[in-house]
Amino acid sequence: MARRPNKSRFQMAAVAILISLFWLAQTWGCTHEHLETDTKVPLDVHIMSKCPDARDCLKELVLPAMANVSEKVDFRLSMVGRLTEDDGVECKHGQTECLGDITMLCAASSYPDPKLYLGFANCLTTDYAEIPARSLFEDCALEHGLDFDVLNDCMSKESGAYGMGLLRDSVQHSCDVGVMTSCTVRLDGKVRCVRDGGEWKNCEGGETPEDLISDIERMYDEAQGWSYA
C-alpha cells in the first residue's frame, strides 16, 4: 500500500511528459512546415540602363515596393536588347548602354542581395546620360557599399567575355518571356506594369508602390497556404 502514491505520481508525471512531448511535436511540426513552404513571389524587372523609363520605373515603383517586401520576393533584374546572329547583343542606346547593363549584371552577380545591387542600378539610371563614366560607377558603388574593384574585375574577366555572357543570358531571358520594352515589371510570371514613353501602361491593379506591395503580400500569403477567413 505504501508504494501506490509513488506509482500514482509516476503515472501523472508520465502523462504530463507525454502531453508536453505531443505539444512540442505539434509546435515543431508547424514551424518546420512553414520553413519548407516559404515560397517567395517571383518579381522580374526588365530594363535598359540608359533609358529614362527605367529610371522612373525603378525610382517610383520598384524600389519603394522592395523596401517593404524584399524578403517576400524572388527578385531578378533583366536586360532588354536584341540578340545578333554572331552571338552578340545589340543595345538600343548603343554600346555604352551595353556596358551599363553589364555593370549592373556584374553587381547582381557579385552582390546577390537585391537591396545592394538594385540600389546601385537605381543610382546609375538616375544619371543614365553619364553612363559609362567611370566616376559614376565608382560613386554609385561607394554610395551603396559595393567595391568598384570587384565590379571591374567582373567586367574585365576573361577579357570581357564573362560580362558579355551575363548580358547575353539576361537578354535571352527577356526574349524568352516576350519582353522587349523597358521598363517591364513581371510578377509571378505575368506582366504587372509597364513604363513606356513616360507613361504607365498595362498596370492592372494600379501603378503605385502600395498597389504592388498589396499584390505581393497577397500572393506570398497564398503561396504559404495561409488563410485569414
Side-chain angles (χ1 to χ4, degrees), residues 9 14 97 102 106 109-110 117 120 122 124 129 158 173 176-177 183 186 194 205 207 216 219:
R9 284 195 295 270
E97 178 169 73
I102 290 173
C106 276
S109 175
S110 303
Y117 73 79
F120 174 76
N122 178 63
L124 293 187
E158 300 174 7
H173 169 65
D176 288 344
V177 298
C183 164
R186 297 171 58 249
V194 175
E207 68 271 7
I216 290 172
M219 290 181 177

Side-chain angles (χ1 to χ4, degrees), residues 142-229:
L142 179 64
E143 181 178 336
H144 293 279
L146 279 58
D147 188 335
F148 175 75
D149 289 336
V150 172
L151 301 182
N152 195 45
D153 288 344
C154 174
M155 290 184 285
S156 59
K157 187 177 180 180
E158 300 174 7
S159 300
Y162 180 78
M164 181 55 68
L166 292 178
L167 178 58
R168 188 183 305 110
D169 291 345
S170 187
V171 171
Q172 181 67 65
H173 169 65
S174 293
C175 292
D176 288 344
V177 298
V179 173
M180 293 299 293
T181 301
S182 168
C183 164
T184 298
V185 177
R186 297 171 58 249
L187 183 63
D188 198 23
K190 300 178 181 179
V191 173
R192 174 60 179 76
C193 208
V194 175
R195 179 76 175 186
D196 184 30
E199 298 179 355
W200 294 108
K201 304 176 180 179
N202 302 324
C203 300
E204 184 177 352
E207 68 271 7
T208 69
E210 292 75 19
D211 295 327
L212 182 56
I213 290 169
S214 178
D215 283 351
I216 290 172
E217 290 182 334
R218 173 180 54 79
M219 290 181 177
Y220 180 81
D221 288 352
E222 289 175 353
Q224 314 317 308
W226 296 344
S227 175
Y228 301 98

Side-chain angles (χ1 to χ4, degrees), residues 35 68 91 100 105 128 152 200:
L35 291 174
N68 289 272
C91 297
L105 293 172
Y128 68 87
N152 195 45
W200 294 108

